[in-house]
Amino acid sequence: CTMFPDYEISIQHFYCLEYRENSRTMLLEIDFRDPVIYLDDTLVTAWEAPYAGEEISPAEKKRILFNVYDYLVRQRGFQNVKAEY
């Protein structure tokens, strides 16, 4: 059993979601006005400074997208989210 770090997600604007994990923050450009919200690994680009240089592995991207999907669909009740991870 693997323990995943705690994370926190907030929707900052209609075009941006903020993902925080431990002391790192990442912004995902998601337009919530779109009829369908597609989640794929192109959304997971980089951590904000001072962690901007850290590489994000494919497994990390998948975990982050899973957490975002869980937040949007299960916690916030979005019904128009499609995930590809």
Side-chain angles (χ1 to χ4, degrees):
C1 181
T2 305
M3 290 292 292
F4 293 121
D6 289 332
Y7 65 91
E8 188 177 328
I9 296 173
S10 59
I11 298 172
Q12 299 296 309
H13 306 282
F14 60 83
Y15 55 83
C16 182
L17 178 142
E18 184 179 84
Y19 180 87
R20 287 185 299 280
E21 189 176 281
N22 299 326
S23 59
R24 301 177 299 179
T25 302
M26 174 183 296
L27 298 178
L28 283 75
E29 293 183 21
I30 298 172
D31 193 334
F32 292 98
R33 300 169 298 177
D34 287 344
V36 178
I37 298 169
Y38 291 99
L39 300 180
D40 63 35
D41 61 3
T42 62
L43 293 173
V44 181
T45 54
W47 295 108
E48 298 288 297
Y51 303 100
E54 283 188 15
E55 188 174 334
I56 304 169
S57 72
E60 278 184 296
K61 288 183 179 186
K62 184 176 182 174
R63 179 177 45 75
I64 290 167
L65 288 171
F66 178 83
N67 290 342
V68 170
Y69 180 87
D70 186 69
Y71 171 78
L72 292 176
V73 173
R74 294 186 181 87
Q75 296 179 40
R76 295 291 301 265
F78 281 78
Q79 297 181 1
N80 61 334
V81 180
K82 302 274 187 243
E84 298 173 11
Y85 50 79

